[in-house]
Amino acid sequence: MEQKNRQANSHGPVTPIQTEYVRARERKEQIKKARKIRLYRRLAVFAVIAALTFGWMTWSLVEKNQAIAAKQEEKKAALAELEKLQEEGAALELELEKLDDPEYIAKLARKEYLLSEEGEIIFTLPDEEKKEKDKEKKDGDSEE
């Protein structure tokens, strides 16, 4: 059998039958291949567009999360500043209430401006820090 196949192939190239059916079948196969190629191209373009869209959405999400984190840090700082200012405001309100009291004003004037009431003598005492500095100077002088 192998010899018959060899003899058939040895006669030369085999020419295909050129009938209308064979040509129609070849055209259908070519059209099928062309459609397959176009399908693969469309799928490739769609995949690229999908990948770009997914990348853009991911990048946008990350950027938004960073912006939110920055805003939250700003909010924390602003809340800390607000709390500090509210405490300062409460202290000022208390000071304002005290300034309505004539006794407090008199005490403050005596303390800050060394004012005295009639017949009162004011003695100023050195601060503790000044005492310690003087003591250190004396100790330093006695060592030499």
Side-chain angles (χ1 to χ4, degrees), residues 3-57:
Q3 283 183 343
K4 287 182 183 180
N5 287 338
R6 284 186 197 162
Q7 285 177 355
N9 289 337
S10 65
H11 289 293
V14 177
T15 58
I17 302 174
Q18 292 295 328
T19 63
E20 188 65 32
Y21 173 76
V22 171
R23 279 183 283 211
R25 189 160 184 112
E26 285 176 352
R27 266 188 267 128
K28 284 183 181 179
E29 285 179 24
Q30 287 175 349
I31 290 172
K32 200 173 188 180
K33 285 181 183 177
R35 284 183 181 167
K36 205 175 219 184
I37 290 171
R38 283 193 298 256
L39 174 67
Y40 288 141
R41 286 181 185 164
R42 276 186 261 140
L43 286 174
V45 169
F46 177 74
V48 168
I49 291 172
L52 289 174
T53 303
F54 181 73
W56 174 74
M57 291 173 69

Side-chain angles (χ1 to χ4, degrees), residues 40-89:
Y40 288 141
R41 286 181 185 164
R42 276 186 261 140
L43 286 174
V45 169
F46 177 74
V48 168
I49 291 172
L52 289 174
T53 303
F54 181 73
W56 174 74
M57 291 173 69
T58 302
W59 176 75
S60 178
L61 181 67
V62 168
E63 188 177 81
K64 298 293 183 195
N65 283 341
Q66 289 175 347
I68 288 172
K71 292 293 183 184
Q72 286 176 343
E73 289 298 320
E74 281 183 36
K75 181 181 176 183
K76 285 180 184 176
L79 288 175
E81 181 71 20
L82 176 64
E83 187 176 321
K84 179 183 170 187
L85 290 174
Q86 284 177 338
E87 288 174 4
E88 187 178 317

Side-chain angles (χ1 to χ4, degrees), residues 2 8 16 34 39 41 51 80 82 126 129 133 135-137 141:
E2 287 182 30
L39 174 67
R41 286 181 185 164
L82 176 64
E129 291 177 9
K133 286 181 184 178
K135 197 176 199 181
E136 287 176 7
K137 282 183 182 179
D141 291 339

Side-chain angles (χ1 to χ4, degrees), residues 112-139:
E112 294 291 323
Y113 303 109
L114 301 175
L115 297 176
S116 65
E117 291 182 1
E118 205 171 301
E120 186 179 44
I121 301 173
I122 298 175
F123 295 98
T124 57
L125 301 174
D127 291 340
E128 291 295 322
E129 291 177 9
K130 289 182 183 178
K131 287 180 183 178
E132 288 178 15
K133 286 181 184 178
D134 290 341
K135 197 176 199 181
E136 287 176 7
K137 282 183 182 179
K138 288 179 184 178
D139 289 342

